């Protein structure tokens, strides 16, 4: 068996602890002195040759760092000769602390590793041991490590930093006012933010606090994004020199350095700007993973920042009534006596215009116009008789229920009157009954919510692109108004229409930009007013005619008077001439 050599080594660093902030090591150079000493013992004890050792110094031992915190001045390797057992020999080294180091919390390990120099030429042995080259004791550590402790004032008297960093988030929209960025929280549904994909960016607001704890060293916030959203930029609420964010190549991982250290009782807020162009109709939720990291002592859990995805369709509906005011008609017939829709009562046309301010609905959603139609009054009598419905700007699909349109079959083949003629008729009707109005009038407002017998007319808006028009042609039932509301001066009938949406996708919603509209029809019930108004032009005509006749008669009288006066004057002149002739003296 070969002799076994047990090597002993020691390593000392002076100073072995330092407050780099107090010593201002970021401004000037800070050095450390090191000394390593070695001895050996052998088995058998009689084995006592000179041994040549290899030694290697290493700073930041065992740490995988792109940039070390200390460096060795001079060579890190060398050789030493041990003359005999228990004879100690030492070597010195010098360390330099680098400026602006990142890890200011953990101690800096420095090591020395020794081994036997593998050469028999420099190993002195006795003649009878010339073939007995020693080996190292395998149960003995060959590396000795000591540490340089970094002192930190923000870590308490025990120099152990126990931070209390907390992360809070919310999804926001961004707007600019007076050259300043204003962030507003997104609308929430059951406590969860709702993302509406658009060309505009959204912001993920992240606030990190460190309350009631020590400094948080090397504090980082790591944001992991899904494939549906992409990193665009980062904005800070205030100018922060010590904070920066970097993203990987595809923009799915962002690492934000929040300061080294993040001091106790401080708060940092920043905004990760995200684009939503990768969100599709199949995306129902966006999950962003948030992770806080620090080298201070603190267990930190992952946080999932979640938001719902809703594609909002910007639809609005407006109602138009022609005419908006009518008077009770002259024809009063019961249902059995009516043979034509014209005999029911005045014509009223309800027009609903639907505007799509967003994307076309052709591919992924269908909208419907829903009209609460006041078919009957509270006692079941006809009120508004629906004659015909037609639409423009959408596919021709019948409104439902179909049997609510012209239920008495009074119109076999609908042929709408020419536009100019129809509008002229409606405009003339809308002015009837308005010239004589009492100062105190009785009126009533009828709505579907107040007991009217209403049916819901649903008109599909298939293929709605930008605009559509749905027109309901109806007749006001004269007999019902005359019998049940004769004590009133006028009556308001309100018709309400709304929009609804149906889609096979769960994340399709209707944006509330005027999805409901109301139109009000005013009916004047005083038939005498209408009669007086209708005959008023006869009175005006007769009055004007009488005035003209009187004027002609006066002119005639004046003319006659001038003629008589002129004849009398002429006769008088002739008579005077005759008298002058008789009284003239005779010449002779």
């Amino acid at each position: 068996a070969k002799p076994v050599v047990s090597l002993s080594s020691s390593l000392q660093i002076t100073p072995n602890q330092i407050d780099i902030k107090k010593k201002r090591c970021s401004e000037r150079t800070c050095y450390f002195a090191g000394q390593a000493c070695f001895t050996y013992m052998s088995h058998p004890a009689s084995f006592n040759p000179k041994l040549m050792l290899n030694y290697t110094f290493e700073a930041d031992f065992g740490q995988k760092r792109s940039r070390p915190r200390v460096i060795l001045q001079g060579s890190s390797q060398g050789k030493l000769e041990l003359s005999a057992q228990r004879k100690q020999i030492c070597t010195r080294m010098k360390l330099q602390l680098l400026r602006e180091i990142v890890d200011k919390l953990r101690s800096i390990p420095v090591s020395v590793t020794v081994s036997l120099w593998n050469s028999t030429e420099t190993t002195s042995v006795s003649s009878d041991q010339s073939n007995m080259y020693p080996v190292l004791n395998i149960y003995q550590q060959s590396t000795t490590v000591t540490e340089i402790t970094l002192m930190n004032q923000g870590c308490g008297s025990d120099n152990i930093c126990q931070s209390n960093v907390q992360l809070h988030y919310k999804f926001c929209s961004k707007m600019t006012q007076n050259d300043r960025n204003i962030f507003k929280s997104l609308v929430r549904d059951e406590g969860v933010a709702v993302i509406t994909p658009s060309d505009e960016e959204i912001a993920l607001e992240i606030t990190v606090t460190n309350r009631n704890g020590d400094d948080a060293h090397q504090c980082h916030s790591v944001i992991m994004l899904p494939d549906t959203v992409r990193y665009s930029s980062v904005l800070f609420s205030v100018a922060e020199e010590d904070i920066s964010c970097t993203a990987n190549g595809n923009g799915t991982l962002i690492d934000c350095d929040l300061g080294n250290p993040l001091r106790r009782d401080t708060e940092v807020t920043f905004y990760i700007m995200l684009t939503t162009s990768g969100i599709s109709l199949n995306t129902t939720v966006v999950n962003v993973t948030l992770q806080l990291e620090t080298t201070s002592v603190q267990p930190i859990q992952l946080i999932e920042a979640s938001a719902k995805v809703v594609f909002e369709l910007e639809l609005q509906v407006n109602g138009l009534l022609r005419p908006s005011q009518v008077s009770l008609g002259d024809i009063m017939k019961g249902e059995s006596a009516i043979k034509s829709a014209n005999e029911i009562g005045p014509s009223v046309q309800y027009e609903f215009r639907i505007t799509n301010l967003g994307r076309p609905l052709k591919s992924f959603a269908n909208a419907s116009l829903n009209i609460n139609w006041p078919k009957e009054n509270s006692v079941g009598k006809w009120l508004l008789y629906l004659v015909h419905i037609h639409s423009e700007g959408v596919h021709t699909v019948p409104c439902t229920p179909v049997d609510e349109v012209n239920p008495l079959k009074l119109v076999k083949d609908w042929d709408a009157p020419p536009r100019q003629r129809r509008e002229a008729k409606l405009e003339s009707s809308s002015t009837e009954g308005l010239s004589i109005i009492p100062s105190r009038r009785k009126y009533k407002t009828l709505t579907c919510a107040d007991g009217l017998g209403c049916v819901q007319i649903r008109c599909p808006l298939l293929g709605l692109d930008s605009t559509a028009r749905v027109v309901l042609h109806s007749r006001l039932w004269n007999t019902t108004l005359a019998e049940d509301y004769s004590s009133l001066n006028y009556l308001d009938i309100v018709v309400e229409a709304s929009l609804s949406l149906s889609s096979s996708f769960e994340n399709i919603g209707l944006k509330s930009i005027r999805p409901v509209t109301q139109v009000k029809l005013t009916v004047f019930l005083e038939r005498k007013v209408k009669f007086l108004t209708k005959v008023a032009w006869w009175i005006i005509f007769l009055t004007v005619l009488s005035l003209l006749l009187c004027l002609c008669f006066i002119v005639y009288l004046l003319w006659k008077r001038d003629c008589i006066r002129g004849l009398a004057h002429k006769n008088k002149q002739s008579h005077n001439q005759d008298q002058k002739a008789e009284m003239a003296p005779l010449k002779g």
Side-chain angles (χ1 to χ4, degrees), residues 18 20 69 103-104 106 108 148-152 159:
I18 186 173
I20 58 177
R69 291 176 288 177
D103 188 353
K104 303 175 184 178
R106 287 179 289 190
I108 302 174
I148 302 172
T149 302
L150 301 179
M151 306 300 293
N152 293 279
N159 200 43

Side-chain angles (χ1 to χ4, degrees), residues 453-479:
C454 296
V455 295
Q456 188 176 73
I457 307 297
R458 182 177 179 273
C459 297
L461 304 174
L462 299 181
L464 175 62
D465 189 357
S466 57
T467 58
R469 194 168 70 103
V470 178
V471 182
L472 288 79
H473 302 269
S474 67
R475 291 278 177 171
L476 191 64
W477 205 279
N478 276 341
T479 307

Side-chain angles (χ1 to χ4, degrees), residues 317 352 369-372 495-499 515-518:
V317 58
F352 298 99
L369 175 67
N370 307 305
I371 306 138
N372 288 329
V495 175
E496 184 178 270
S498 62
L499 295 172
V516 179
T517 187
Q518 288 183 340

Side-chain angles (χ1 to χ4, degrees), residues 254-475:
I254 302 100
D255 187 355
C256 292
D257 184 355
L258 305 180
N260 190 25
L262 179 62
R263 299 293 183 184
R264 66 177 69 181
D265 298 327
T266 58
E267 177 179 305
V268 174
T269 300
F270 59 99
Y271 301 86
I272 303 296
M273 304 304 300
L274 305 172
T275 60
T276 59
S277 57
I279 295 179
S280 66
L281 291 171
N282 295 319
T283 307
T284 58
V285 66
V286 170
N287 291 320
V288 179
T289 303
L290 305 174
Q291 175 68 67
L292 272 179
E293 296 178 352
T294 178
T295 54
S296 297
V297 179
Q298 180 186 346
I300 303 175
Q301 300 293 327
L302 282 171
I303 296 178
E304 289 286 343
S306 298
K308 294 181 180 179
V309 176
V310 176
F311 286 84
E312 290 186 339
L313 302 177
E314 301 181 26
L315 300 180
Q316 65 181 21
V317 58
N318 294 286
L320 181 64
L321 189 58
R322 295 177 179 173
S324 60
Q325 297 173 330
V326 297
S327 295
L328 196 63
D330 293 329
I331 302 175
M332 299 292 171
K333 289 185 178 182
E335 179 180 331
S336 59
I338 292 177
K339 304 301 180 183
S340 172
N342 296 332
E343 299 175 349
I344 294 175
S347 173
V348 182
Q349 177 179 302
Y350 289 84
E351 180 178 322
F352 298 99
R353 296 179 180 178
I354 301 93
T355 305
N356 182 11
L357 303 177
R359 61 179 65 194
L361 307 186
K362 297 178 181 179
S363 57
F364 56 87
N366 293 319
S368 297
L369 175 67
N370 307 305
I371 306 138
N372 288 329
W373 185 255
K375 173 184 176 181
E376 301 170 344
N377 67 358
S378 58
V379 296
K381 292 184 179 181
W382 289 102
L383 186 62
L384 276 173
Y385 183 82
L386 186 55
V387 180
H388 175 71
I389 302 176
H390 80 274
S391 59
E392 299 174 2
V394 291
H395 298 327
T396 304
V397 179
C399 299
T400 57
V402 179
D403 54 1
E404 292 295 338
V405 181
N406 191 24
L408 301 179
K409 309 301 179 185
L410 298 176
V411 180
K412 300 298 181 182
D413 297 315
W414 174 259
D415 185 15
R419 181 176 180 85
Q420 293 181 352
R421 180 180 176 184
R422 181 173 71 248
E423 292 183 351
K425 182 178 179 180
L426 293 176
E427 289 175 1
S428 64
S429 299
S430 65
T431 59
E432 294 178 357
L434 301 180
S435 58
I436 302 176
I437 301 178
S439 58
R440 292 181 175 271
R441 300 183 296 170
K442 297 179 181 179
Y443 72 93
K444 187 175 183 179
T445 300
L446 302 180
T447 66
C448 291
D450 295 332
L452 291 181
C454 296
V455 295
Q456 188 176 73
I457 307 297
R458 182 177 179 273
C459 297
L461 304 174
L462 299 181
L464 175 62
D465 189 357
S466 57
T467 58
R469 194 168 70 103
V470 178
V471 182
L472 288 79
H473 302 269
S474 67
R475 291 278 177 171

